[in-house]
Amino acid sequence: MQDPDFLHAMRIAEALIFASDKPVPAARVQLALPPGVDAQAVLTALAARTAGAAVELVEVAGGFAFRTALDLAPAITRVVEVPRRLPRAAMEALAIIAYHQPVTRAEIEEIRGAALAQTTLDALLEAGLVAPRGRKETPGRPTLWGTTPRFLDQFGLKSLGELPRKEELVSQDLAVLELSALPAAETSPEAA
């Protein structure tokens, strides 16, 4: 049987995380716990208790949040309103910002090879996925852009370090291109 103080601390952590609209850092959980109770131990126990349940405790965006179990997603997407997807231009700009931050609008346009419409940048700002990160020390002092904790939360990342490496993305794209360039006879199961 577990210590009653520890069980009470788990209830406090669970309530705090449940009530929050964004991931809760362990340090914030620690502030709510009784003296002498370690937040990391409480969060580990809470994650273990919810593992395999319909709603699990996960670590995302530098904090902890409850998320629907991945295996249940197909069953509930029919009744839960799915957020609207960002346009392709916005996703391209977001990827560039994530990998090159802090980055200016001109740098985004140079990498994309196309102009970045203000409405595209506004959509990313409105979604809370990017934010200004100061100004570049060059003539005109253009705004530098970077991703936000909301970006990490939206894509289920603990940190930017979890983004796939650029080399991995390029090698996967090349493999797809190489397969699509082969004649149909070489890519069919009978050819193997």
Side-chain angles (χ1 to χ4, degrees):
M1 185 170 160
Q2 285 191 322
D3 175 24
D5 288 340
F6 189 81
L7 292 174
H8 181 67
M10 282 180 61
R11 291 184 66 223
I12 291 170
E14 185 174 17
L16 176 63
I17 294 167
F18 178 77
S20 181
D21 62 342
K22 57 187 175 206
V24 180
R28 189 162 164 226
V29 172
Q30 187 66 59
L31 294 173
L33 299 181
V37 179
D38 179 51
Q40 199 58 51
V42 168
L43 292 167
T44 300
L46 191 55
R49 189 177 81 198
T50 62
V55 177
E56 299 173 325
L57 181 67
V58 296
E59 188 175 356
V60 292
F64 292 84
F66 287 109
R67 295 288 188 261
T68 303
L70 289 177
D71 63 314
L72 299 179
I76 65 172
T77 54
R78 292 177 292 215
V79 287
V80 174
E81 185 177 321
V82 178
R84 75 180 169 89
R85 296 176 58 113
L86 288 171
R88 181 182 175 136
M91 286 300 291
E92 288 173 359
L94 183 59
I96 291 167
I97 292 168
Y99 281 101
H100 298 276
Q101 63 186 302
V103 62
T104 66
R105 182 176 179 162
E107 292 166 339
I108 296 168
E109 290 174 341
E110 183 179 329
I111 294 167
R112 274 189 75 221
L116 179 62
Q118 184 60 42
T119 55
T120 301
L121 194 51
D122 289 345
L124 294 173
L125 281 165
E126 187 177 305
L129 299 172
V130 300
R133 294 282 179 248
R135 296 200 172 266
K136 191 167 187 172
E137 295 297 327
T138 60
R141 298 197 20 98
T143 302
L144 291 166
W145 297 98
T147 58
T148 64
R150 172 88 174 99
F151 166 81
L152 296 173
D153 186 26
Q154 181 76 29
F155 290 95
L157 303 170
K158 292 179 188 177
S159 70
L160 290 173
E162 288 189 344
L163 285 170
R165 291 190 349 255
K166 291 179 229 177
E167 298 80 25
E168 293 171 358
L169 296 174
V170 170
S171 65
Q172 289 173 0
D173 289 346
L174 287 176
V176 169
L177 286 174
E178 289 169 2
L179 279 177
S180 65
L182 293 174
E186 292 182 41
T187 59
S188 68
E190 294 82 31

